[in-house]
Structures are given as structure tokens and as C-alpha cells.
Amino acid sequence: MAKDGEKSEWREFIWNPRTREFLGRTASSWGLIFLFYVVFYIFLAGLFALTMYVMLQTLDEDKPTWQDRLATPGMVIRPKADETFEIVYTVQKTESWDMYAQALDNFLEPYNDTMQLQKNDECTPDQYFLQEDSGDVRNNPKRSCQFNRSVLEDCSGFNDRYYGYQEGKPCIIIKLNRVIGLLPGNNGQAPYVTCGAKREDSDKIGELVYFPPNGTFNLMYYPYYGKKAQVNYSQPLVAVKFLNITANEDVNIECKINANNIPIGSDRDKFAGRVSFKLRININN
């Protein structure tokens, strides 16, 4: 009998025909609760929409309203086989260096002279290419300066399709990371790249040659206005060719940017403005 009584209590809790209550509440009570939550969630959704609308009014479609203004942009090299920044190959084994040549071909393809002529302007060297807005009137899309891969001469892939790798005189391409609004160099002094071996390998690096001459990033490629405002922007490049590096040994190399208004390294990032990599050229005797 006790069990039948318990079942009866559960049935009445779920639906009580005498009081017409469902789960202990009448229809009007459930209706008020449902109405409360509908109004509550509509209010939350409206508050969220209003917050998003106000926030979106502060955003600029072409550049970030707030950005971490890096004092020193990062540097990267090409080709880059993996995240270890190591270039290791054997001259006599084509398969060991062909991937590097192909990587440089792919990387430099957008810099072909014909493509640059079609989409970018021939700018005046040695001065910033400023394209300021006029009040609320946007000067968009902004133009970009040509960077022709032929400027890289022996490292352009035109005269030597293997970029010196088959001769044990490889080319490395260096570029600075993009920073919106960065104006590197004061008083007309353009930033330039220098490379050298780490102290323990200083006698192994041999002679280097830079393209363009002196490893310069010309001022006409700055400032950068952002991906949306300057859709055809071509980052300037510097190529370094190693002419007689010591073979069959690891050579640890560091390249850095030099400019009179760009500090090298910082408390936040000691590798800012520089890039280190290992180069090993094996020659079978």
C-alpha cells in the first residue's frame, strides 16, 4: 500500500487534476515564469547588441584603433625549412637543396617585375611614401611602391635559378615584419641589414655580399598602412649571399636591422630586430 501511495503522490505532483497544477504550478504561474525569462533574455540580448554596436563605432576598418606599437619589428628569413631556422644541405645531392630553391621561387614570384609593374607605382627613392587622409576623407586604397626581384641581382633567381645552392654559395632572403605606421630611420638614413657569425664561428663565415647594395630597406616602402588600406603592398627584401663559408661545419649566423631610431632587442623580446639561424654546407670529397 505504501508503494501505491508513493506512486499516487508522484502522479499528483506531475499533474494534479483537482488543482490543475503541473509540476506544482498552475498554468498562469508557468506563464508568468516563461514571460519573465523571455523578457530577461531579450534584455540581455539587447544589452549585448548595444555594447557591440558602441564598440564597433570605435573600430577602424583599415587599421586597428589600438595596437601594440612595436619599437622594433621582427625579422624572418627565407627559405625556411622548419621552425628550427636551420639550412643544411649537401652540394652534390640535388635533392637536399632543391627544396630551398623551390621555396625561394615561390616566395619571390609576387615580386616578378611584370607583376610589380601592373599593380604598383614607381616611387621616388630615399623618401617616405606618405599618403595621409584628408580629415574624414580616406585616401584609400593607398598605392604601393614597386619592389622588383631583379633588384636582388645574383639572388633574384634570374641569372642563377638555383640561388647559388648548387655551388655552395647560397642566398638567404631577409624581410622585416610589417608594422603599421612605422617610419624606420631618421634624417634620411634608411635601415640596413648586417649579418655575421656568432662569436664561436667568427672565422667560418667568410665573405658576404648584400642585394640591394649595403643591405638597405629603402625609405620609399614606408610607412605601411595596413592590409585593407594598402592591398598591393610589397615588403622590401634584402638578400645575403654567402661566398665562401666554411664547408662541413655548423655556422651559427645572426642578422640584425640597423637604424638610428630602431633599438635592437628589448626587455620584452631580446630577439626583436634580429634573426639567428644555422647554416651548414656539406661537400663530399
Side-chain angles (χ1 to χ4, degrees), residues 2 4 21 92 127 163 175-176 178 180 183 185 204 258 263 265 270 272:
D4 291 340
E21 292 179 345
Q92 289 83 3
Q127 65 182 40
Y163 303 92
K175 66 174 183 176
L176 282 177
R178 302 178 185 185
I180 294 177
L183 294 173
K204 302 177 185 177
N258 301 273
K270 65 179 180 179

Side-chain angles (χ1 to χ4, degrees), residues 78-80 98-108:
R78 295 291 186 274
K80 187 180 71 168
D98 186 59
M99 60 180 178
Y100 296 129
Q102 290 183 12
L104 289 177
D105 276 340
N106 295 334
F107 176 68
L108 291 176

Side-chain angles (χ1 to χ4, degrees), residues 38 57 93 174 206 246 262 275:
V38 168
Q57 300 311 300
K93 296 181 179 179
I174 299 172
T246 301
I262 296 182
V275 61

Side-chain angles (χ1 to χ4, degrees), residues 214-277:
N214 303 317
T216 301
F217 292 111
N218 201 285
L219 296 179
M220 65 182 175
Y221 300 106
Y222 302 97
Y224 170 60
Y225 288 98
K227 189 174 183 178
K228 285 191 174 182
Q230 203 171 9
V231 293
N232 291 328
Y233 181 74
S234 296
Q235 287 177 264
L237 308 173
V238 165
V240 185
K241 189 176 181 69
F242 298 86
L243 299 181
N244 53 354
I245 196 167
T246 301
N248 301 318
E249 293 192 37
D250 292 346
V251 182
N252 295 290
I253 300 167
E254 181 179 83
C255 297
K256 63 181 180 179
I257 187 68
N258 301 273
N260 53 11
N261 67 340
I262 296 182
I264 298 298
S266 67
D267 293 337
R268 295 173 57 188
D269 186 358
K270 65 179 180 179
F271 296 108
R274 66 182 72 199
V275 61
S276 298
F277 59 96

Side-chain angles (χ1 to χ4, degrees), residues 41-51:
Y41 283 113
I42 288 176
F43 171 76
L44 289 182
L47 183 62
F48 175 77
L50 177 63
T51 303

